[in-house]
Amino acid sequence: AGILFAATAVGWLFEKLKLTDANIITVYILGVLLISIVTEGWFYSFSSTIASVLIFNFLFTAPRFTLRAYDRSYPFTFAVMFLAALITGSLASRLKQHAGQAARDAYRLKVLLDTNQLLQQAKGKTEILEGAAQQIVKLLKRETVIYDVKDGKLEHPLRRVPQGEEDITIEDEACEEQAAACHAGTGTDHFKQAKRQYLAIRVNSTVYGVVGIMIQKQPLDAFENSVLLSILGECALALENDKNVREKEEAAILAKNEQLRANLLRTISHDLRTP
């Protein structure tokens, strides 16, 4: 409304300066363009297009202060004005949507790169899972839980909530745990009544954890799902590397103990033979 009022004021000024109607029409088309930029959705662009044509007809064509027009060329003028404003507004709105989508995609890719660096620096399984949960919440802006898996059993879940949002209370936690154990939940064929969708953090057949994303009635889009799977893949590789490092350390300690044992036996054997 403010933009249309400003366009009308400029149109009135142009009329006082004895400028042609084409200049006033251009001002209203510019107003529709600005409205498309500062608002969301096509409704405001379309309604402002109609309003600009009606205001121009009401204030700047004879007879004044009516929606009639004496000049036979005015209906064509109104039609061209309407189409020009509508196309301009639609293109501006679409360009704004593309720009917003590009910004969101860039943010998600940045989160993925930050996740890679964070998980490479993390030490220990707990720190890796906490880092993954933090990045998933940062990416999706949804409540996230991660279960650690030990000996095929789910441990106590690690829950993370987006900043500024309250923790969501789920009545049937038993159903959620069953869905987590089956890597199912919302969006799958099993445990559809669950509030979260559960995905396994795995390398081949080895499952290191299970992550649950709060879905309810807002499913993930294709790009969000792709980035989420990439984060889970990074997390699984980090857990696999951590496991390999621990196994190598344990093997090194075992080898060192065996070496000490062998040295001790040789020493005792030598002392028994040559006291």
Side-chain angles (χ1 to χ4, degrees):
I3 291 175
L4 289 177
F5 179 81
T8 302
V10 174
W12 177 80
L13 178 62
F14 281 6
E15 187 181 43
K16 293 298 182 183
L17 296 175
K18 305 300 182 180
L19 299 179
T20 62
D21 290 345
N23 294 283
I24 301 175
I25 291 173
T26 304
V27 172
Y28 278 107
I29 293 176
L30 176 61
V32 173
L33 176 62
L34 294 176
I35 290 172
S36 301
I37 293 175
V38 300
T39 58
E40 297 288 343
W42 63 270
F43 172 77
Y44 297 102
S45 176
F46 182 76
S47 59
S48 62
T49 300
I50 296 177
S52 63
V53 174
L54 294 178
I55 293 172
F56 175 77
N57 184 20
F58 188 78
L59 296 178
F60 298 104
T61 61
R64 299 296 180 93
F65 309 115
T66 68
L67 295 179
R68 292 179 296 169
Y70 289 155
D71 196 328
R72 293 182 178 181
S73 65
Y74 272 136
F76 299 99
T77 302
F78 297 154
V80 173
M81 178 183 176
F82 175 80
L83 291 176
L86 181 62
I87 293 173
T88 302
S90 299
L91 290 176
S93 179
R94 188 176 302 176
L95 182 62
K96 182 181 177 182
Q97 291 177 359
H98 288 334
Q101 185 63 40
R104 288 190 294 272
D105 293 345
Y107 173 77
R108 292 165 181 172
L109 291 176
K110 181 179 182 301
V111 171
L112 181 59
L113 294 175
D114 292 343
T115 302
N116 185 19
Q117 297 177 356
L118 179 65
L119 296 181
Q120 286 180 354
Q121 298 173 359
K123 297 180 180 179
K125 190 173 184 179
T126 301
E127 189 172 339
I128 292 173
L129 292 177
E130 288 181 350
Q134 172 187 336
Q135 293 301 104
I136 291 173
V137 171
K138 188 176 179 181
L139 169 69
L140 303 178
K141 303 294 189 297
R142 301 169 186 252
E143 184 212 47
T144 301
V145 297
I146 287 188
Y147 291 87
D148 186 9
V149 175
K150 291 183 180 179
D151 300 326
K153 296 181 180 181
L154 300 179
E155 298 293 318
H156 186 72
L158 172 68
R159 181 178 284 107
R160 289 289 179 269
V161 180
Q163 186 176 5
E165 295 187 12
E166 297 182 357
D167 194 1
I168 300 176
T169 302
I170 296 180
E171 298 178 357
D172 195 357
E173 285 290 351
C175 175
E176 298 292 326
E177 291 184 2
Q178 291 175 357
C182 298
H183 316 152
T186 303
T188 66
D189 295 331
H190 303 285
F191 299 100
K192 295 181 180 180
Q193 68 274 23
K195 301 297 183 181
R196 304 186 188 98
Q197 179 180 349
Y198 293 92
L199 301 169
I201 303 173
R202 68 166 72 220
V203 175
N204 298 326
S205 60
T206 304
V207 178
Y208 293 99
V210 177
V211 60
I213 310 297
M214 182 63 69
I215 298 294
Q216 291 184 336
K217 297 181 180 180
Q218 299 177 346
L220 303 177
D221 61 39
F223 193 77
E224 284 179 332
N225 189 64
S226 176
V227 177
L228 174 61
L229 293 178
S230 299
I231 290 178
L232 296 183
E234 294 284 346
C235 181
L237 289 177
L239 292 170
E240 179 80 3
N241 293 334
D242 179 70
K243 177 187 174 183
N244 292 335
V245 168
R246 284 188 284 105
E247 289 179 349
K248 288 180 180 179
E249 291 177 351
E250 292 173 357
I253 293 174
L254 182 60
K256 185 177 181 179
N257 290 338
E258 288 295 328
Q259 184 66 33
L260 291 174
R261 177 175 173 274
N263 292 339
L264 179 61
L265 289 176
R266 281 197 297 271
T267 302
I268 294 174
S269 176
H270 179 269
D271 289 344
L272 289 176
R273 288 197 304 269
T274 57

